[in-house]
């Protein structure tokens, strides 16, 4: 005779209780499945190392999904477009970028509907990445209705020089002579004309605008130059370094964490779901360093099979006893 339902309910409850496994507390977390040797890599002749990475789970979470190696060229992807990485300076925490749609002193790249998207960073990434304070953005051919001249809701943005670089020198480039000779442009002066027309060029630092969106600003194009030294470049704008110089910043707490991780043979990475810092230690991850997690990881790996076998043995013994008891009592 089959045992009563109350005994079956008890058996089911026992099965659930005995087969539930609780992960041991500690600093060991799920394996990253990322060989730590791949976190430091190369693209062309550029080394890609922390806080950047080309592999998921490596690098700092604030700079994830940023760099990609495409046909031997290291590219940086943002909502505004893709930029070729010319140099990564780990000592001074700087990236030098090139935008093929950007004008320089030799050639202007302008279009009525805007040429290039400028430079825009996602809001969540801004605490970690931004152009240098010595980087000037030169917005070209902007309409009178542009927010640059109408004013943003909370501030007015006057055009001005940045680290000695401005429109006065830039409009002296030979590229502008060719541009005006071809019938382009409205005027030469950087300050606009007497009829209230906007200037042909407006120079601004990144901090004044926080997003160089060419189409939103109603401009025809842009240029960017940076200064790495306090000495004024010879040859005016012809001697400027053209490109976008970007700096990265990490939380102060991250420095000690990553240093301890590397000192114990690990690679600095992050959790792909929570984006918290992780020390990648090969077959396991740690929230501190590889020394603190190595013994725990080996202990867990060796103990779990034995614990599982013991639980199943207890379960089998208990089920046999309960079944026998239920069967004999139901026949009484």
């Amino acid at each position: 005779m089959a045992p009563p339902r109350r005994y079956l309910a008890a058996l089911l409850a026992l099965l659930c209780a005995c087969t539930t496994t609780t992960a041991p507390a500690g600093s060991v977390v799920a394996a990253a499945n990322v060989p730590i040797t791949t976190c430091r890599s190369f693209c062309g002749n550029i080394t890609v190392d922390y806080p950047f990475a080309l592999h998921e789970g490596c690098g700092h979470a604030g700079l994830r999904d940023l760099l990609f190696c495409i046909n031997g060229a290291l590219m940086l992807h943002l909502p505004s477009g893709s930029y070729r990485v010319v140099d990564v300076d780990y000592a001074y925490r700087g990236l030098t970028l090139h935008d093929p749609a950007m004008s320089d002193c030799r050639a202007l790249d302008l279009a009525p509907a805007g040429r290039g998207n400028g430079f825009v960073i996602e809001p969540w990434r801004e605490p970690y990445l931004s152009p240098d304070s010595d980087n000037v953005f030169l917005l070209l051919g902007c309409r009178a209705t542009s927010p640059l001249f109408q004013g943003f809701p909370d501030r007015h943005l006057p055009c001005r020089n940045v680290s000695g670089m401005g429109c006065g020198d830039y409009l002296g480039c030979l590229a502008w002579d060719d541009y005006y000779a071809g019938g382009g442009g409205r005027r030469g002066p950087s300050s606009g004309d007497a009829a209230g027309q906007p200037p042909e060029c407006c120079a601004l630092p990144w901090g004044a605008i926080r997003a160089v969106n060419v189409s939103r600003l109603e401009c025809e194009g842009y240029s960017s130059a940076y200064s790495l030294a306090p000495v004024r470049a010879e040859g005016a704008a012809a001697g400027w370094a053209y490109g976008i110089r970007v700096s990265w910043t990490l939380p102060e707490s991250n420095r000690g964490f990553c240093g301890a991780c590397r000192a114990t043979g690990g690679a600095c990475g992050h959790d792909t779901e929570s984006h918290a810092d992780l020390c990648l230690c090969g077959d396991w991850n740690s929230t501190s360093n590889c020394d603190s997690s190595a013994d725990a990881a080996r202990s867990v790996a060796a103990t779990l099979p034995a614990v599982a076998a013991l639980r199943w043995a207890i379960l089998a013994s208990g089920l046999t006893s309960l079944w026998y008891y239920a069967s004999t009592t139901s026949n009484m």
Side-chain angles (χ1 to χ4, degrees), residues 72 87 187 274 290:
D87 178 66
R187 73 208 61 80
S274 69
C290 293

Side-chain angles (χ1 to χ4, degrees), residues 187-282:
R187 73 208 61 80
S190 60
S191 58
D193 61 14
Q197 290 283 354
E200 192 76 76
C201 169
C202 180
L204 287 170
W206 173 263
I209 190 168
R210 309 301 297 178
V212 180
N213 188 321
V214 173
S215 57
R216 177 176 175 272
L217 294 174
E218 302 179 30
C219 302
E220 295 182 356
Y222 85 106
S223 184
S224 175
Y226 58 92
S227 174
L228 297 179
V231 180
R232 184 180 176 88
E234 295 183 4
W240 293 353
Y242 288 90
I244 304 173
R245 181 74 177 182
V246 181
S247 298
W248 72 82
T249 303
L250 298 180
E252 189 65 30
S253 60
N254 177 267
R255 298 184 183 182
F257 170 84
C258 193
C261 176
R262 284 177 162 172
T264 55
C268 306
H270 64 273
D271 188 291
T272 56
E273 295 182 358
S274 69
H275 307 311
D277 289 332
L278 282 183
C279 184
L280 310 181
C281 304

